[in-house]
PDB file of all heavy atoms in Angstrom:
ATOM      1  N   GLU Y 224      -3.119 -16.295 -13.341  1.00  0.00           N
ATOM      2  CA  GLU Y 224      -2.606 -16.097 -11.991  1.00  0.00           C
ATOM      3  C   GLU Y 224      -1.208 -15.489 -12.063  1.00  0.00           C
ATOM      4  O   GLU Y 224      -0.369 -15.922 -12.854  1.00  0.00           O
ATOM      5  CB  GLU Y 224      -2.557 -17.425 -11.235  1.00  0.00           C
ATOM      6  CG  GLU Y 224      -3.932 -17.994 -10.914  1.00  0.00           C
ATOM      7  CD  GLU Y 224      -3.858 -19.197  -9.977  1.00  0.00           C
ATOM      8  OE1 GLU Y 224      -2.735 -19.557  -9.553  1.00  0.00           O
ATOM      9  OE2 GLU Y 224      -4.924 -19.755  -9.660  1.00  0.00           O
ATOM     10  N   LEU Y 225      -0.982 -14.476 -11.214  1.00  0.00           N
ATOM     11  CA  LEU Y 225       0.315 -13.829 -11.150  1.00  0.00           C
ATOM     12  C   LEU Y 225       0.863 -13.998  -9.732  1.00  0.00           C
ATOM     13  O   LEU Y 225       0.567 -13.196  -8.844  1.00  0.00           O
ATOM     14  CB  LEU Y 225       0.200 -12.345 -11.514  1.00  0.00           C
ATOM     15  CG  LEU Y 225      -0.245 -12.065 -12.952  1.00  0.00           C
ATOM     16  CD1 LEU Y 225      -1.711 -11.646 -12.962  1.00  0.00           C
ATOM     17  CD2 LEU Y 225       0.618 -10.977 -13.577  1.00  0.00           C
ATOM     18  N   PRO Y 226       1.644 -15.042  -9.496  1.00  0.00           N
ATOM     19  CA  PRO Y 226       2.168 -15.280  -8.160  1.00  0.00           C
ATOM     20  C   PRO Y 226       3.414 -14.438  -7.880  1.00  0.00           C
ATOM     21  O   PRO Y 226       4.146 -14.051  -8.801  1.00  0.00           O
ATOM     22  CB  PRO Y 226       2.517 -16.768  -8.193  1.00  0.00           C
ATOM     23  CG  PRO Y 226       2.873 -17.020  -9.630  1.00  0.00           C
ATOM     24  CD  PRO Y 226       1.993 -16.116 -10.443  1.00  0.00           C
ATOM     25  N   GLY Y 227       3.625 -14.164  -6.629  1.00  0.00           N
ATOM     26  CA  GLY Y 227       4.825 -13.477  -6.197  1.00  0.00           C
ATOM     27  C   GLY Y 227       5.087 -13.814  -4.746  1.00  0.00           C
ATOM     28  O   GLY Y 227       4.204 -14.337  -4.051  1.00  0.00           O
ATOM     29  N   PRO Y 228       6.281 -13.547  -4.247  1.00  0.00           N
ATOM     30  CA  PRO Y 228       6.588 -13.861  -2.851  1.00  0.00           C
ATOM     31  C   PRO Y 228       5.807 -12.981  -1.886  1.00  0.00           C
ATOM     32  O   PRO Y 228       5.458 -11.843  -2.216  1.00  0.00           O
ATOM     33  CB  PRO Y 228       8.090 -13.588  -2.753  1.00  0.00           C
ATOM     34  CG  PRO Y 228       8.355 -12.588  -3.833  1.00  0.00           C
ATOM     35  CD  PRO Y 228       7.414 -12.920  -4.942  1.00  0.00           C
ATOM     36  N   ARG Y 229       5.520 -13.513  -0.722  1.00  0.00           N
ATOM     37  CA  ARG Y 229       4.907 -12.734   0.346  1.00  0.00           C
ATOM     38  C   ARG Y 229       5.999 -12.377   1.348  1.00  0.00           C
ATOM     39  O   ARG Y 229       6.722 -13.248   1.826  1.00  0.00           O
ATOM     40  CB  ARG Y 229       3.797 -13.530   1.035  1.00  0.00           C
ATOM     41  CG  ARG Y 229       3.052 -12.731   2.113  1.00  0.00           C
ATOM     42  CD  ARG Y 229       1.945 -13.573   2.743  1.00  0.00           C
ATOM     43  NE  ARG Y 229       0.892 -13.881   1.791  1.00  0.00           N
ATOM     44  CZ  ARG Y 229      -0.117 -13.067   1.492  1.00  0.00           C
ATOM     45  NH1 ARG Y 229      -0.195 -11.879   2.077  1.00  0.00           N
ATOM     46  NH2 ARG Y 229      -1.034 -13.430   0.628  1.00  0.00           N
ATOM     47  N   PHE Y 230       6.106 -11.093   1.661  1.00  0.00           N
ATOM     48  CA  PHE Y 230       7.151 -10.618   2.555  1.00  0.00           C
ATOM     49  C   PHE Y 230       6.588 -10.353   3.946  1.00  0.00           C
ATOM     50  O   PHE Y 230       5.463  -9.865   4.088  1.00  0.00           O
ATOM     51  CB  PHE Y 230       7.789  -9.343   2.001  1.00  0.00           C
ATOM     52  CG  PHE Y 230       8.412  -9.522   0.641  1.00  0.00           C
ATOM     53  CD1 PHE Y 230       7.749  -9.095  -0.505  1.00  0.00           C
ATOM     54  CD2 PHE Y 230       9.641 -10.141   0.511  1.00  0.00           C
ATOM     55  CE1 PHE Y 230       8.314  -9.269  -1.755  1.00  0.00           C
ATOM     56  CE2 PHE Y 230      10.220 -10.317  -0.734  1.00  0.00           C
ATOM     57  CZ  PHE Y 230       9.560  -9.885  -1.875  1.00  0.00           C
ATOM     58  N   ASP Y 231       7.380 -10.652   4.947  1.00  0.00           N
ATOM     59  CA  ASP Y 231       6.980 -10.439   6.333  1.00  0.00           C
ATOM     60  C   ASP Y 231       7.263  -8.989   6.708  1.00  0.00           C
ATOM     61  O   ASP Y 231       8.282  -8.660   7.310  1.00  0.00           O
ATOM     62  CB  ASP Y 231       7.738 -11.396   7.255  1.00  0.00           C
ATOM     63  CG  ASP Y 231       7.279 -11.282   8.702  1.00  0.00           C
ATOM     64  OD1 ASP Y 231       6.197 -10.705   8.934  1.00  0.00           O
ATOM     65  OD2 ASP Y 231       8.002 -11.759   9.589  1.00  0.00           O
ATOM     66  N   THR Y 232       6.346  -8.105   6.314  1.00  0.00           N
ATOM     67  CA  THR Y 232       6.507  -6.683   6.586  1.00  0.00           C
ATOM     68  C   THR Y 232       5.157  -6.018   6.750  1.00  0.00           C
ATOM     69  O   THR Y 232       4.183  -6.411   6.107  1.00  0.00           O
ATOM     70  CB  THR Y 232       7.279  -5.977   5.446  1.00  0.00           C
ATOM     71  OG1 THR Y 232       7.359  -4.568   5.724  1.00  0.00           O
ATOM     72  CG2 THR Y 232       6.572  -6.165   4.107  1.00  0.00           C
ATOM     73  N   GLY Y 233       5.099  -5.029   7.613  1.00  0.00           N
ATOM     74  CA  GLY Y 233       3.900  -4.204   7.728  1.00  0.00           C
ATOM     75  C   GLY Y 233       4.003  -2.939   6.921  1.00  0.00           C
ATOM     76  O   GLY Y 233       3.081  -2.112   6.916  1.00  0.00           O
ATOM     77  N   ASN Y 234       5.123  -2.781   6.208  1.00  0.00           N
ATOM     78  CA  ASN Y 234       5.350  -1.557   5.441  1.00  0.00           C
ATOM     79  C   ASN Y 234       4.853  -1.728   4.010  1.00  0.00           C
ATOM     80  O   ASN Y 234       5.631  -1.897   3.065  1.00  0.00           O
ATOM     81  CB  ASN Y 234       6.848  -1.202   5.467  1.00  0.00           C
ATOM     82  CG  ASN Y 234       7.347  -0.954   6.872  1.00  0.00           C
ATOM     83  OD1 ASN Y 234       6.642  -0.378   7.691  1.00  0.00           O
ATOM     84  ND2 ASN Y 234       8.555  -1.407   7.160  1.00  0.00           N
ATOM     85  N   THR Y 235       3.530  -1.692   3.870  1.00  0.00           N
ATOM     86  CA  THR Y 235       2.907  -1.887   2.557  1.00  0.00           C
ATOM     87  C   THR Y 235       2.021  -0.717   2.154  1.00  0.00           C
ATOM     88  O   THR Y 235       1.221  -0.824   1.225  1.00  0.00           O
ATOM     89  CB  THR Y 235       2.069  -3.179   2.551  1.00  0.00           C
ATOM     90  OG1 THR Y 235       1.090  -3.113   3.604  1.00  0.00           O
ATOM     91  CG2 THR Y 235       2.953  -4.397   2.745  1.00  0.00           C
ATOM     92  N   HIS Y 236       2.169   0.407   2.859  1.00  0.00           N
ATOM     93  CA  HIS Y 236       1.347   1.583   2.550  1.00  0.00           C
ATOM     94  C   HIS Y 236       1.599   2.032   1.114  1.00  0.00           C
ATOM     95  O   HIS Y 236       2.743   2.135   0.666  1.00  0.00           O
ATOM     96  CB  HIS Y 236       1.693   2.705   3.522  1.00  0.00           C
ATOM     97  CG  HIS Y 236       0.768   3.887   3.459  1.00  0.00           C
ATOM     98  ND1 HIS Y 236      -0.605   3.754   3.417  1.00  0.00           N
ATOM     99  CD2 HIS Y 236       1.024   5.228   3.440  1.00  0.00           C
ATOM    100  CE1 HIS Y 236      -1.156   4.959   3.371  1.00  0.00           C
ATOM    101  NE2 HIS Y 236      -0.194   5.856   3.380  1.00  0.00           N
ATOM    102  N   GLY Y 237       0.527   2.279   0.378  1.00  0.00           N
ATOM    103  CA  GLY Y 237       0.641   2.737  -1.003  1.00  0.00           C
ATOM    104  C   GLY Y 237       0.858   1.636  -2.014  1.00  0.00           C
ATOM    105  O   GLY Y 237       1.068   1.925  -3.197  1.00  0.00           O
ATOM    106  N   GLY Y 238       0.768   0.373  -1.588  1.00  0.00           N
ATOM    107  CA  GLY Y 238       1.003  -0.718  -2.520  1.00  0.00           C
ATOM    108  C   GLY Y 238       0.010  -0.750  -3.668  1.00  0.00           C
ATOM    109  O   GLY Y 238       0.385  -0.949  -4.827  1.00  0.00           O
ATOM    110  N   GLY Y 239      -1.263  -0.537  -3.358  1.00  0.00           N
ATOM    111  CA  GLY Y 239      -2.275  -0.538  -4.415  1.00  0.00           C
ATOM    112  C   GLY Y 239      -2.103   0.610  -5.383  1.00  0.00           C
ATOM    113  O   GLY Y 239      -2.276   0.451  -6.603  1.00  0.00           O
ATOM    114  N   ASP Y 240      -1.749   1.783  -4.863  1.00  0.00           N
ATOM    115  CA  ASP Y 240      -1.512   2.946  -5.725  1.00  0.00           C
ATOM    116  C   ASP Y 240      -0.351   2.670  -6.677  1.00  0.00           C
ATOM    117  O   ASP Y 240      -0.414   2.965  -7.876  1.00  0.00           O
ATOM    118  CB  ASP Y 240      -1.184   4.174  -4.871  1.00  0.00           C
ATOM    119  CG  ASP Y 240      -2.289   4.531  -3.900  1.00  0.00           C
ATOM    120  OD1 ASP Y 240      -3.463   4.338  -4.238  1.00  0.00           O
ATOM    121  OD2 ASP Y 240      -1.981   5.006  -2.798  1.00  0.00           O
ATOM    122  N   ASN Y 241       0.739   2.116  -6.130  1.00  0.00           N
ATOM    123  CA  ASN Y 241       1.902   1.807  -6.953  1.00  0.00           C
ATOM    124  C   ASN Y 241       1.568   0.794  -8.035  1.00  0.00           C
ATOM    125  O   ASN Y 241       1.990   0.938  -9.187  1.00  0.00           O
ATOM    126  CB  ASN Y 241       3.025   1.275  -6.073  1.00  0.00           C
ATOM    127  CG  ASN Y 241       3.896   2.351  -5.473  1.00  0.00           C
ATOM    128  OD1 ASN Y 241       4.987   2.633  -5.978  1.00  0.00           O
ATOM    129  ND2 ASN Y 241       3.444   2.969  -4.395  1.00  0.00           N
ATOM    130  N   MET Y 242       0.804  -0.246  -7.675  1.00  0.00           N
ATOM    131  CA  MET Y 242       0.458  -1.287  -8.639  1.00  0.00           C
ATOM    132  C   MET Y 242      -0.365  -0.717  -9.790  1.00  0.00           C
ATOM    133  O   MET Y 242      -0.058  -0.941 -10.972  1.00  0.00           O
ATOM    134  CB  MET Y 242      -0.324  -2.396  -7.933  1.00  0.00           C
ATOM    135  CG  MET Y 242      -0.726  -3.558  -8.826  1.00  0.00           C
ATOM    136  SD  MET Y 242       0.688  -4.575  -9.252  1.00  0.00           S
ATOM    137  CE  MET Y 242      -0.112  -5.960 -10.056  1.00  0.00           C
ATOM    138  N   ALA Y 243      -1.411   0.050  -9.468  1.00  0.00           N
ATOM    139  CA  ALA Y 243      -2.265   0.620 -10.508  1.00  0.00           C
ATOM    140  C   ALA Y 243      -1.493   1.598 -11.375  1.00  0.00           C
ATOM    141  O   ALA Y 243      -1.688   1.651 -12.600  1.00  0.00           O
ATOM    142  CB  ALA Y 243      -3.477   1.297  -9.878  1.00  0.00           C
ATOM    143  N   SER Y 244      -0.614   2.374 -10.762  1.00  0.00           N
ATOM    144  CA  SER Y 244       0.179   3.333 -11.532  1.00  0.00           C
ATOM    145  C   SER Y 244       1.130   2.628 -12.484  1.00  0.00           C
ATOM    146  O   SER Y 244       1.312   3.046 -13.640  1.00  0.00           O
ATOM    147  CB  SER Y 244       0.973   4.238 -10.585  1.00  0.00           C
ATOM    148  OG  SER Y 244       0.107   5.066  -9.846  1.00  0.00           O
ATOM    149  N   ALA Y 245       1.751   1.545 -12.012  1.00  0.00           N
ATOM    150  CA  ALA Y 245       2.659   0.797 -12.870  1.00  0.00           C
ATOM    151  C   ALA Y 245       1.919   0.164 -14.048  1.00  0.00           C
ATOM    152  O   ALA Y 245       2.431   0.147 -15.176  1.00  0.00           O
ATOM    153  CB  ALA Y 245       3.385  -0.272 -12.061  1.00  0.00           C
ATOM    154  N   VAL Y 246       0.711  -0.350 -13.800  1.00  0.00           N
ATOM    155  CA  VAL Y 246      -0.098  -0.884 -14.903  1.00  0.00           C
ATOM    156  C   VAL Y 246      -0.392   0.218 -15.917  1.00  0.00           C
ATOM    157  O   VAL Y 246      -0.255   0.022 -17.135  1.00  0.00           O
ATOM    158  CB  VAL Y 246      -1.415  -1.484 -14.392  1.00  0.00           C
ATOM    159  CG1 VAL Y 246      -2.312  -1.871 -15.576  1.00  0.00           C
ATOM    160  CG2 VAL Y 246      -1.172  -2.705 -13.525  1.00  0.00           C
ATOM    161  N   ALA Y 247      -0.804   1.384 -15.431  1.00  0.00           N
ATOM    162  CA  ALA Y 247      -1.120   2.497 -16.329  1.00  0.00           C
ATOM    163  C   ALA Y 247       0.091   2.887 -17.170  1.00  0.00           C
ATOM    164  O   ALA Y 247      -0.042   3.207 -18.352  1.00  0.00           O
ATOM    165  CB  ALA Y 247      -1.629   3.688 -15.522  1.00  0.00           C
ATOM    166  N   CYS Y 248       1.280   2.845 -16.570  1.00  0.00           N
ATOM    167  CA  CYS Y 248       2.494   3.163 -17.326  1.00  0.00           C
ATOM    168  C   CYS Y 248       2.727   2.147 -18.437  1.00  0.00           C
ATOM    169  O   CYS Y 248       3.116   2.509 -19.559  1.00  0.00           O
ATOM    170  CB  CYS Y 248       3.701   3.204 -16.392  1.00  0.00           C
ATOM    171  SG  CYS Y 248       3.710   4.615 -15.256  1.00  0.00           S
ATOM    172  N   GLY Y 249       2.497   0.874 -18.147  1.00  0.00           N
ATOM    173  CA  GLY Y 249       2.637  -0.137 -19.180  1.00  0.00           C
ATOM    174  C   GLY Y 249       1.656   0.071 -20.317  1.00  0.00           C
ATOM    175  O   GLY Y 249       2.010  -0.037 -21.500  1.00  0.00           O
ATOM    176  N   LEU Y 250       0.412   0.389 -19.968  1.00  0.00           N
ATOM    177  CA  LEU Y 250      -0.597   0.648 -21.003  1.00  0.00           C
ATOM    178  C   LEU Y 250      -0.229   1.877 -21.827  1.00  0.00           C
ATOM    179  O   LEU Y 250      -0.439   1.908 -23.048  1.00  0.00           O
ATOM    180  CB  LEU Y 250      -1.970   0.830 -20.352  1.00  0.00           C
ATOM    181  CG  LEU Y 250      -2.545  -0.402 -19.643  1.00  0.00           C
ATOM    182  CD1 LEU Y 250      -3.839  -0.046 -18.921  1.00  0.00           C
ATOM    183  CD2 LEU Y 250      -2.792  -1.535 -20.631  1.00  0.00           C
TER     184      LEU Y 250
END
Side-chain angles (χ1 to χ4, degrees):
E224 291 189 2
L225 296 103
R229 184 179 294 277
F230 300 101
D231 184 16
T232 177
N234 299 322
T235 57
H236 189 45
D240 301 326
N241 273 261
M242 181 73 171
S244 293
V246 173
C248 290
L250 295 174

